[in-house]
Amino acid sequence: DGGITQSPKYLFRKEGQNVTLSCEQNLNHDAMYWYRQDPGQGLRLIYYSQIVNDFQKGDIAEGYSVSREKKESFPLTVTSAQKNPTAFYLCASTPGDSYNEQFFGPGTRLTVL
Amino acid sequence: GESVGLHLPTLSVQEGDNSIINCAYSNSASDYFIWYKQESGKGPQFIIDIRSNMDKRQGQRVTVLLNKTVKHLSLQIAATQPGDSAVYFCAENRGDDKIIFGKGTRLHILP
């Protein structure tokens, strides 16, 4: 089955530690995205990548970093510089010829203690 | 600031009735408007989109209406079912390679 996976589903970290969230897709999609969702809020774009080895900042990139070394993978690192990292993180992908229909993973809920 | 927003945070509808979820936008230059559905604990799912030069588009049990005069978008769900219970987001595509999401409306289905 083709799809987009995120792991782990729940993640706990101590304040001051960096943490990396995994996102993998086997849909052969070119573009991948990371969003943050806070309770009762919409999705805010953190970073996105249209092609391997290239990525752009979204609206709330500060305190986050990404890499896109492979087409299938787009990991997100939440650094200690992110002031309020506890949130639900969603990864998505699109084929690249249409950006309206994004395919989302199940999300990772990060709690920083 | 937020340019895609929703009129109500919560909407309760009797099972079997039609649901209408509303959204206002401010950017007249958007190419497309899009609706997503997010069930509890899951990622959003694409429902339907509408190009900015259209007024209406129909899908399976859903209709999206676009009123460019008042910059208003709505999603109509016919014969609402328990499985329609979710948060619905409107979003816009301004012609670049990303979309902007609104805050969402939670749809409650009453038995």
Side-chain angles (χ1 to χ4, degrees):
Chain A
D1 285 339
I4 182 164
T5 58
Q6 293 183 244
S7 61
K9 190 164 179 64
Y10 298 96
L11 191 54
F12 297 87
R13 279 293 181 271
K14 290 184 180 177
E15 196 173 339
Q17 290 181 333
N18 291 357
V19 59
T20 297
L21 280 57
S22 166
C23 178
E24 303 279 330
Q25 53 99 0
N26 60 3
L27 299 166
N28 199 33
H29 285 173
D30 289 316
M32 296 186 74
Y33 304 80
W34 274 106
Y35 294 92
R36 171 185 172 133
Q37 187 174 31
D38 293 288
Q41 299 293 313
L43 281 65
R44 292 185 290 167
L45 183 63
I46 305 173
Y47 268 99
Y48 63 107
S49 167
Q50 291 177 284
I51 198 167
V52 174
N53 292 322
D54 188 39
F55 48 83
Q56 289 78 40
K57 292 182 179 180
D59 300 319
I60 56 165
E62 186 176 349
Y64 299 98
S65 66
V66 292
S67 62
R68 186 87 187 276
E69 296 175 4
K70 298 187 297 182
K71 188 175 185 178
E72 308 80 41
S73 179
F74 191 40
L76 173 75
T77 296
V78 184
T79 75
S80 57
Q82 167 51 233
K83 291 185 172 57
N84 187 17
T86 295
F88 189 47
Y89 290 89
L90 287 157
C91 181
S93 68
T94 68
D97 54 356
S98 168
Y99 298 100
N100 292 348
E101 183 172 3
Q102 296 193 0
F103 294 79
F104 281 84
T108 292
R109 189 167 300 279
L110 172 64
T111 302
V112 175
L113 306 170
Chain B
E2 187 76 43
S3 67
V4 181
L6 290 152
H7 291 298
L8 293 172
T10 304
L11 177 67
S12 295
V13 174
Q14 205 77 35
E15 183 178 347
D17 287 352
N18 295 340
S19 301
I20 300 176
I21 302 169
N22 296 305
C23 184
Y25 65 92
S26 59
N27 191 326
S28 299
S30 295
D31 281 357
Y32 282 90
F33 296 92
I34 311 136
W35 283 99
Y36 277 82
K37 172 187 180 182
Q38 185 178 26
E39 296 176 14
S40 183
K42 297 183 179 179
Q45 274 183 296
F46 172 90
I47 302 173
I48 191 168
D49 62 2
I50 184 168
R51 193 165 184 157
S52 58
N53 62 356
M54 297 172 65
D55 297 322
K56 180 179 179 179
R57 189 172 185 210
Q58 287 186 293
Q60 188 177 8
R61 263 198 326 119
V62 296
T63 301
V64 57
L65 298 177
L66 178 61
N67 185 330
K68 291 178 282 295
T69 303
V70 295
K71 297 183 182 178
H72 183 267
L73 180 72
S74 69
L75 178 72
Q76 299 180 8
I77 305 173
T80 309
Q81 303 168 358
D84 295 326
S85 181
V87 177
Y88 290 82
F89 293 97
C90 60
E92 59 178 327
N93 182 330
R94 295 179 179 174
D96 53 15
D97 47 12
K98 57 187 186 291
I99 60 177
I100 299 170
F101 286 85
K103 288 194 175 136
T105 290
R106 182 173 297 280
L107 179 63
H108 287 291
I109 312 303
L110 304 171

PDB file of all heavy atoms in Angstrom, chain A residues 94-109:
ATOM      1  N   THR A  94       2.800  15.900  -1.839  1.00  0.00           N
ATOM      2  CA  THR A  94       1.994  16.041  -3.053  1.00  0.00           C
ATOM      3  C   THR A  94       2.846  15.649  -4.257  1.00  0.00           C
ATOM      4  O   THR A  94       4.078  15.713  -4.188  1.00  0.00           O
ATOM      5  CB  THR A  94       1.501  17.482  -3.274  1.00  0.00           C
ATOM      6  OG1 THR A  94       2.638  18.320  -3.570  1.00  0.00           O
ATOM      7  CG2 THR A  94       0.784  18.040  -2.084  1.00  0.00           C
ATOM      8  N   PRO A  95       2.197  15.273  -5.350  1.00  0.00           N
ATOM      9  CA  PRO A  95       2.966  14.871  -6.539  1.00  0.00           C
ATOM     10  C   PRO A  95       3.843  15.986  -7.092  1.00  0.00           C
ATOM     11  O   PRO A  95       4.850  15.734  -7.717  1.00  0.00           O
ATOM     12  CB  PRO A  95       1.883  14.486  -7.552  1.00  0.00           C
ATOM     13  CG  PRO A  95       0.687  14.186  -6.747  1.00  0.00           C
ATOM     14  CD  PRO A  95       0.751  15.078  -5.549  1.00  0.00           C
ATOM     15  N   GLY A  96       3.432  17.235  -6.863  1.00  0.00           N
ATOM     16  CA  GLY A  96       4.223  18.350  -7.365  1.00  0.00           C
ATOM     17  C   GLY A  96       3.592  19.030  -8.557  1.00  0.00           C
ATOM     18  O   GLY A  96       3.935  20.169  -8.863  1.00  0.00           O
ATOM     19  N   ASP A  97       2.663  18.343  -9.239  1.00  0.00           N
ATOM     20  CA  ASP A  97       1.982  19.013 -10.355  1.00  0.00           C
ATOM     21  C   ASP A  97       0.694  19.676  -9.888  1.00  0.00           C
ATOM     22  O   ASP A  97       0.094  20.468 -10.608  1.00  0.00           O
ATOM     23  CB  ASP A  97       1.705  18.031 -11.495  1.00  0.00           C
ATOM     24  CG  ASP A  97       0.941  16.811 -11.025  1.00  0.00           C
ATOM     25  OD1 ASP A  97       0.687  16.693  -9.805  1.00  0.00           O
ATOM     26  OD2 ASP A  97       0.615  15.969 -11.863  1.00  0.00           O
ATOM     27  N   SER A  98       0.246  19.314  -8.685  1.00  0.00           N
ATOM     28  CA  SER A  98      -0.913  19.968  -8.080  1.00  0.00           C
ATOM     29  C   SER A  98      -0.676  20.024  -6.583  1.00  0.00           C
ATOM     30  O   SER A  98      -0.361  19.008  -5.969  1.00  0.00           O
ATOM     31  CB  SER A  98      -2.196  19.190  -8.358  1.00  0.00           C
ATOM     32  OG  SER A  98      -3.250  19.683  -7.551  1.00  0.00           O
ATOM     33  N   TYR A  99      -0.806  21.209  -6.013  1.00  0.00           N
ATOM     34  CA  TYR A  99      -0.519  21.350  -4.585  1.00  0.00           C
ATOM     35  C   TYR A  99      -1.779  21.375  -3.731  1.00  0.00           C
ATOM     36  O   TYR A  99      -1.700  21.470  -2.521  1.00  0.00           O
ATOM     37  CB  TYR A  99       0.303  22.624  -4.362  1.00  0.00           C
ATOM     38  CG  TYR A  99       1.629  22.569  -5.072  1.00  0.00           C
ATOM     39  CD1 TYR A  99       1.823  23.213  -6.292  1.00  0.00           C
ATOM     40  CD2 TYR A  99       2.676  21.833  -4.544  1.00  0.00           C
ATOM     41  CE1 TYR A  99       3.042  23.135  -6.949  1.00  0.00           C
ATOM     42  CE2 TYR A  99       3.895  21.752  -5.192  1.00  0.00           C
ATOM     43  CZ  TYR A  99       4.066  22.399  -6.397  1.00  0.00           C
ATOM     44  OH  TYR A  99       5.269  22.318  -7.045  1.00  0.00           O
ATOM     45  N   ASN A 100      -2.945  21.291  -4.356  1.00  0.00           N
ATOM     46  CA  ASN A 100      -4.183  21.384  -3.585  1.00  0.00           C
ATOM     47  C   ASN A 100      -4.443  20.142  -2.744  1.00  0.00           C
ATOM     48  O   ASN A 100      -4.900  20.230  -1.620  1.00  0.00           O
ATOM     49  CB  ASN A 100      -5.368  21.603  -4.521  1.00  0.00           C
ATOM     50  CG  ASN A 100      -5.324  22.956  -5.184  1.00  0.00           C
ATOM     51  OD1 ASN A 100      -4.544  23.825  -4.803  1.00  0.00           O
ATOM     52  ND2 ASN A 100      -6.146  23.136  -6.202  1.00  0.00           N
ATOM     53  N   GLU A 101      -4.194  18.974  -3.337  1.00  0.00           N
ATOM     54  CA  GLU A 101      -4.465  17.742  -2.620  1.00  0.00           C
ATOM     55  C   GLU A 101      -3.183  17.243  -1.979  1.00  0.00           C
ATOM     56  O   GLU A 101      -2.333  16.626  -2.633  1.00  0.00           O
ATOM     57  CB  GLU A 101      -5.039  16.672  -3.548  1.00  0.00           C
ATOM     58  CG  GLU A 101      -5.403  15.402  -2.792  1.00  0.00           C
ATOM     59  CD  GLU A 101      -6.150  14.384  -3.628  1.00  0.00           C
ATOM     60  OE1 GLU A 101      -6.346  14.647  -4.843  1.00  0.00           O
ATOM     61  OE2 GLU A 101      -6.541  13.340  -3.080  1.00  0.00           O
ATOM     62  N   GLN A 102      -3.069  17.510  -0.695  1.00  0.00           N
ATOM     63  CA  GLN A 102      -1.919  17.032   0.058  1.00  0.00           C
ATOM     64  C   GLN A 102      -2.314  15.762   0.797  1.00  0.00           C
ATOM     65  O   GLN A 102      -3.420  15.652   1.329  1.00  0.00           O
ATOM     66  CB  GLN A 102      -1.442  18.108   1.037  1.00  0.00           C
ATOM     67  CG  GLN A 102      -0.948  19.359   0.312  1.00  0.00           C
ATOM     68  CD  GLN A 102      -0.183  20.318   1.193  1.00  0.00           C
ATOM     69  OE1 GLN A 102       0.011  20.081   2.379  1.00  0.00           O
ATOM     70  NE2 GLN A 102       0.275  21.414   0.603  1.00  0.00           N
ATOM     71  N   PHE A 103      -1.385  14.828   0.833  1.00  0.00           N
ATOM     72  CA  PHE A 103      -1.599  13.555   1.498  1.00  0.00           C
ATOM     73  C   PHE A 103      -0.861  13.607   2.831  1.00  0.00           C
ATOM     74  O   PHE A 103       0.358  13.773   2.849  1.00  0.00           O
ATOM     75  CB  PHE A 103      -1.076  12.407   0.631  1.00  0.00           C
ATOM     76  CG  PHE A 103      -1.839  12.236  -0.646  1.00  0.00           C
ATOM     77  CD1 PHE A 103      -1.606  13.061  -1.731  1.00  0.00           C
ATOM     78  CD2 PHE A 103      -2.807  11.246  -0.763  1.00  0.00           C
ATOM     79  CE1 PHE A 103      -2.314  12.920  -2.921  1.00  0.00           C
ATOM     80  CE2 PHE A 103      -3.516  11.092  -1.947  1.00  0.00           C
ATOM     81  CZ  PHE A 103      -3.273  11.933  -3.019  1.00  0.00           C
ATOM     82  N   PHE A 104      -1.617  13.445   3.912  1.00  0.00           N
ATOM     83  CA  PHE A 104      -1.042  13.619   5.235  1.00  0.00           C
ATOM     84  C   PHE A 104      -0.719  12.293   5.904  1.00  0.00           C
ATOM     85  O   PHE A 104      -1.427  11.293   5.718  1.00  0.00           O
ATOM     86  CB  PHE A 104      -2.015  14.386   6.135  1.00  0.00           C
ATOM     87  CG  PHE A 104      -2.009  15.872   5.879  1.00  0.00           C
ATOM     88  CD1 PHE A 104      -2.776  16.419   4.865  1.00  0.00           C
ATOM     89  CD2 PHE A 104      -1.243  16.713   6.663  1.00  0.00           C
ATOM     90  CE1 PHE A 104      -2.765  17.782   4.626  1.00  0.00           C
ATOM     91  CE2 PHE A 104      -1.221  18.081   6.433  1.00  0.00           C
ATOM     92  CZ  PHE A 104      -1.992  18.615   5.405  1.00  0.00           C
ATOM     93  N   GLY A 105       0.314  12.326   6.721  1.00  0.00           N
ATOM     94  CA  GLY A 105       0.597  11.208   7.603  1.00  0.00           C
ATOM     95  C   GLY A 105      -0.285  11.286   8.836  1.00  0.00           C
ATOM     96  O   GLY A 105      -1.051  12.238   9.003  1.00  0.00           O
ATOM     97  N   PRO A 106      -0.163  10.307   9.748  1.00  0.00           N
ATOM     98  CA  PRO A 106      -1.013  10.259  10.940  1.00  0.00           C
ATOM     99  C   PRO A 106      -0.608  11.244  12.024  1.00  0.00           C
ATOM    100  O   PRO A 106      -1.349  11.449  12.977  1.00  0.00           O
ATOM    101  CB  PRO A 106      -0.870   8.819  11.418  1.00  0.00           C
ATOM    102  CG  PRO A 106       0.476   8.409  10.928  1.00  0.00           C
ATOM    103  CD  PRO A 106       0.681   9.102   9.623  1.00  0.00           C
ATOM    104  N   GLY A 107       0.577  11.854  11.894  1.00  0.00           N
ATOM    105  CA  GLY A 107       1.006  12.851  12.865  1.00  0.00           C
ATOM    106  C   GLY A 107       1.823  12.278  14.004  1.00  0.00           C
ATOM    107  O   GLY A 107       1.747  11.082  14.320  1.00  0.00           O
ATOM    108  N   THR A 108       2.637  13.141  14.594  1.00  0.00           N
ATOM    109  CA  THR A 108       3.392  12.823  15.814  1.00  0.00           C
ATOM    110  C   THR A 108       3.052  13.873  16.863  1.00  0.00           C
ATOM    111  O   THR A 108       3.153  15.070  16.599  1.00  0.00           O
ATOM    112  CB  THR A 108       4.916  12.850  15.558  1.00  0.00           C
ATOM    113  OG1 THR A 108       5.279  11.772  14.712  1.00  0.00           O
ATOM    114  CG2 THR A 108       5.686  12.737  16.868  1.00  0.00           C
ATOM    115  N   ARG A 109       2.623  13.389  18.018  1.00  0.00           N
ATOM    116  CA  ARG A 109       2.338  14.324  19.115  1.00  0.00           C
ATOM    117  C   ARG A 109       3.577  14.410  19.995  1.00  0.00           C
ATOM    118  O   ARG A 109       3.950  13.445  20.641  1.00  0.00           O
ATOM    119  CB  ARG A 109       1.126  13.856  19.912  1.00  0.00           C
ATOM    120  CG  ARG A 109       0.645  14.892  20.931  1.00  0.00           C
ATOM    121  CD  ARG A 109      -0.724  14.561  21.482  1.00  0.00           C
ATOM    122  NE  ARG A 109      -1.761  14.500  20.482  1.00  0.00           N
ATOM    123  CZ  ARG A 109      -2.391  15.548  19.964  1.00  0.00           C
ATOM    124  NH1 ARG A 109      -2.079  16.767  20.360  1.00  0.00           N
ATOM    125  NH2 ARG A 109      -3.342  15.373  19.069  1.00  0.00           N
TER     126      ARG A 109
END
